[in-house]
Structure formats: C-alpha cells, structure tokens
C-alpha cells in the first residue's frame, strides 16, 4: 500500500473510532502502522487494565486471542473486538482445559499459577494468573511449598531461580523466544562488545542467564525511557524495537530477526473491518468469565 493511501486509511480509522465510541489498544509486538492508530500501546497486562478503566464501550484489541479474552474477562460489560480472528498464541494453545485438569489430578491440592498467556477456559481452573513482570511475586504469594506452573516452562525455570518454592512446570513454550540460542547471544555480543543485553524471560534459562537485564515488555519500555545513547541487544520479538525507538531514539537497538507471525496478522484493513462490521467479537459465557476473573483479579492485586 502506498504511503498516501495508508495515511488516508489511518484518518478513516481515527474518524470511525470516534464516531463509534471505540478505543484501539495495541500490543507492543504489533506493526508500526497499528501503533499509529492506537490510543494506547502496552503489554498484555497494561492493556487489560486500560480496557478495564477506559470510558469507551467498544475495545478494538490489536493483539492475539488470549489478550482480547483477558480484556473481556476484566470488562465483561464492554464489547471487545479482535480484528483477526485467527490471531492466536501458539504457547497459549499448548495447554487445553482437559490437559490442565489431568495435570491437577496428578498433584492434588497443589495450586495452579497460570501465565496470563493462556486461553480463557484454562484460566477457569487456575488459582492465580501472573505476568512475566510479577511471576515470582505471584508464586511466592500462594499457599504451600509447590506450585503447578503453566504453560511456559522457560518462565517457570526463570522463576525457579528466584523462589524457594518447588515449581512443577508444564511443557509449553513460546515458539519464538524458545528458538533463541545462547550462540545467537554470544555472536551478537562479540559483534557488539559495548552493547547491553536485555531480554525476555520467555527465553530458555541458558539464554536468559546471558542477559544483563531480564525484563518484561513493560520493563523494556521503562529501561528505554530511563537510558540514553546505549547500544542494546534486544532478545525478544523484533517489533519491540519499533516501540522502544519511540520511547528513546537515542539508543541503538540490535534485533535478532525474531518475528511472531500471529502478531503480524493485524493490519489497517482488518482494524477498519472491525470498526465497520463489529468483527470479531470475543464471546465468553458468564461462568467462564466469573471463574477466570477471580484468577485475574488476584493477579492484579499482586502487581
Ligand atoms: S510472541 Fe510468543 S507468547 Fe507472544 S503471542 Fe507470539 S507466540 Fe505467543
């Protein structure tokens, strides 16, 4: 699409958004065009809180399915639209409700901590959810010496180094972060010896051990805001660098070529369709919302 057409489309979206009383929320891993029409860009936790407190009754959620569901769980009275219905999270899909029930049956009485990257039905069988930013605090907050942690085994390994509790992990992972190897980091470091390495704890433990700072997406934004003129090797999804450049363009961000295809699916046309046709509305039944909300609200309290 030509630049002028794009700008026109963005103007149309902005006008329609106002007319429909909608707000557009975008995850940091979205494309830059989506940032331009978003009212708020953030991580999945920040976006859910924003969805909860905003005045608008319609939320266009530019991200993936579990995030839009999370917004719906916390704001059931609002209409939540996911522009691309099939935009999902392969990691969230690595554990189903039945699999979680079987996992719990193997460890009776052991509380379940679910990473927020889980589908709504999995949250209904969860004691408390967590984000990558508050995962260790959440684990420490639950009763008992052990927790079942789903779905990310890498985040589980990261937390295990930061808590006294026994973490029993599910065998899931983010396909993008899991693909990053220690060799990739060492190569980037030898090419840029003066760079600082910041990365996401969804990476394998042997990778996150090579970070100078392990940070959630929100933590990365804060780091970029607080530091200037730095060379930064960014160990996460490449699109994050676009966001960080907006926060502080004096830093030089070096990326590793990591792309989340599901996050790439949302484009300007799909957002326009969402606004024009009200598609694709997230629908969850009352029981699911009620049970999942308890686990989410406990998480919000720990933040
Ligand atoms: S980057 Fe990983 S965790 Fe995030 S949406 Fe993509 S697959 Fe899921």
């Amino acid at each position: 699409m030509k630049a002028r057409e794009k700008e026109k489309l963005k103007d149309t979206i902005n006008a329609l958004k106002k007319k429909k009383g909608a707000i557009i929320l975008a995850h940091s891993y979205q494309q830059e065009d989506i940032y331009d029409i978003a009212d708020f860009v953030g991580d999945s936790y920040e976006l859910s809180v924003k969805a909860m407190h905003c005045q608008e009754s319609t939320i266009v959620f530019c991200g993936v399915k579990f995030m839009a569901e999370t917004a719906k769980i916390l704001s059931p009275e609002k209409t939540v639209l996911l522009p691309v219905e099939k935009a999902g999270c392969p990691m969230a899909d690595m554990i189903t409700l039945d699999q979680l029930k079987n996992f719990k049956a193997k460890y009776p009485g052991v509380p379940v901590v679910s990473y927020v990257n889980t589908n709504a039905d999995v949250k209904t069988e969860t004691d408390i959810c967590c984000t990558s930013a508050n995962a260790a605090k959440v684990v420490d907050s639950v009763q008992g010496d052990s927790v079942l942690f789903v779905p990310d085994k890498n985040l589980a390994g990261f937390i295990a180094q930061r808590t006294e509790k026994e973490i029993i992990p599910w065998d899931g992972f983010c396909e993008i972060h899991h693909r990053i190897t220690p060799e990739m980091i060492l190569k980037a470091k030898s090419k840029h010896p003066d760079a600082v390495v910041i990365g996401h704890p969804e990476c394998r433990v042997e990778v996150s051990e090579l970070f100078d700072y392990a940070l959630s997406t929100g933590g990365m934004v804060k780091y970029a805001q607080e530091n200037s003129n730095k060379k930064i090797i960014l160990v996460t999804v490449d699109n994050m660098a676009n966001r960080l450049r907006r926060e502080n363009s004096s830093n030089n961000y070096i990326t590793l070529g990591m792309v989340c295809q599901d996050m790439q699916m949302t484009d300007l046309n799909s957002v326009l369709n969402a606004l024009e046709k009200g598609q694709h509305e997230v629908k969850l039944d009352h029981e699911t919302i009620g049970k999942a909300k308890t686990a989410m609200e406990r998480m919000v309290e720990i933040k």
Side-chain angles (χ1 to χ4, degrees):
M1 197 188 292
K2 288 188 186 137
R4 266 182 65 191
E5 278 172 49
K6 249 187 202 178
E7 289 316 306
K8 226 175 133 191
L9 193 47
K10 287 176 191 172
D11 289 344
T12 308
I13 290 170
N14 282 329
L16 196 57
K17 173 175 81 176
K18 283 201 186 100
K19 193 174 157 202
K20 301 253 175 175
I23 187 171
I24 299 178
L25 304 181
H27 191 269
S28 301
Y29 291 170
Q30 292 283 296
Q31 303 185 57
E32 283 210 273
D33 283 336
I34 302 299
Y35 296 170
D36 292 340
I37 43 111
D39 295 284
F40 187 79
V41 181
D43 60 27
S44 54
Y45 171 81
E46 290 166 336
L47 295 176
S48 301
V49 173
K50 188 77 187 168
M52 206 162 55
H53 296 307
C54 70
Q55 300 298 318
E56 291 82 356
S57 56
T58 299
I59 296 158
V60 180
F61 206 114
C62 301
V64 296
K65 188 181 120 195
F66 82 82
M67 296 176 182
E69 282 184 347
T70 304
K72 182 72 184 173
I73 291 163
L74 289 173
S75 312
E77 72 293 350
K78 293 178 184 164
T79 302
V80 180
L81 305 173
L82 181 65
V84 179
E85 200 171 21
K86 63 176 185 195
C89 168
M91 171 159 73
D93 293 338
M94 283 182 189
I95 185 159
T96 64
L97 177 61
D98 284 344
Q99 285 174 320
L100 177 55
K101 283 181 179 169
N102 291 337
F103 192 36
K104 285 172 80 167
K106 271 171 72 181
Y107 299 94
V110 179
V112 176
V113 176
S114 289
Y115 190 22
V116 71
N117 299 35
T118 41
N119 293 317
D121 56 355
V122 166
K123 289 187 173 81
T124 65
E125 286 287 326
T126 293
D127 292 279
I128 180 166
C129 293
C130 72
T131 65
S132 56
N134 72 358
K137 264 200 222 168
V138 166
V139 164
D140 282 337
S141 77
V142 297
Q143 297 282 319
D145 299 329
S146 315
V147 299
L148 303 181
F149 191 90
V150 304
D152 188 2
K153 64 177 174 184
N154 291 327
L155 184 58
F158 180 80
I159 305 160
Q161 294 177 329
R162 288 158 178 81
T163 180
E164 297 290 304
K165 292 197 196 266
E166 180 199 16
I167 312 273
I168 305 166
W170 184 255
D171 190 22
F173 51 87
C174 164
E175 289 175 350
I176 291 86
H177 289 93
H178 194 68
R179 224 181 288 144
I180 300 169
T181 61
E183 291 68 34
M184 288 164 76
I185 312 293
L186 294 173
K187 198 172 157 198
K189 275 172 90 159
S190 72
K191 214 169 155 195
H192 307 281
D194 51 340
V196 59
V197 182
I198 67 171
H200 199 279
E202 282 174 21
C203 292
R204 303 169 195 215
V205 170
E206 61 269 31
V207 170
S208 58
E209 279 169 349
L210 297 171
F211 300 163
D212 292 303
Y213 302 102
L215 299 168
S216 63
T217 46
M220 289 178 186
V221 170
K222 196 159 175 264
Y223 185 87
Q225 285 168 343
E226 290 172 356
N227 290 277
S228 295
N229 302 311
K230 281 202 181 289
K231 198 184 252 191
I232 297 171
I233 298 169
L234 191 63
V235 191
T236 187
V237 173
D238 284 10
N239 278 358
M240 190 67 205
N242 299 331
R243 169 83 200 277
L244 299 185
R245 270 181 213 113
R246 291 185 179 216
E247 301 302 328
N248 190 340
S249 60
S250 77
N251 292 324
N252 177 10
Y253 303 95
I254 295 141
T255 54
L256 300 178
M258 310 315 296
V259 176
C260 174
Q261 296 298 347
D262 286 79
M263 283 286 185
Q264 291 291 103
M265 288 178 185
T266 312
D267 60 10
L268 294 172
N269 281 315
S270 61
V271 175
L272 181 66
N273 279 337
L275 282 164
E276 279 181 340
K277 301 174 191 162
Q279 64 190 26
H280 301 273
E281 187 176 349
V282 175
K283 291 209 166 115
L284 296 172
D285 60 65
H286 287 305
E287 200 187 338
T288 301
I289 289 177
K291 287 186 183 167
K293 200 172 183 192
T294 307
M296 285 294 302
E297 284 173 344
R298 285 186 185 141
M299 171 188 100
V300 175
E301 279 164 27
I302 303 282
K303 187 73 180 178

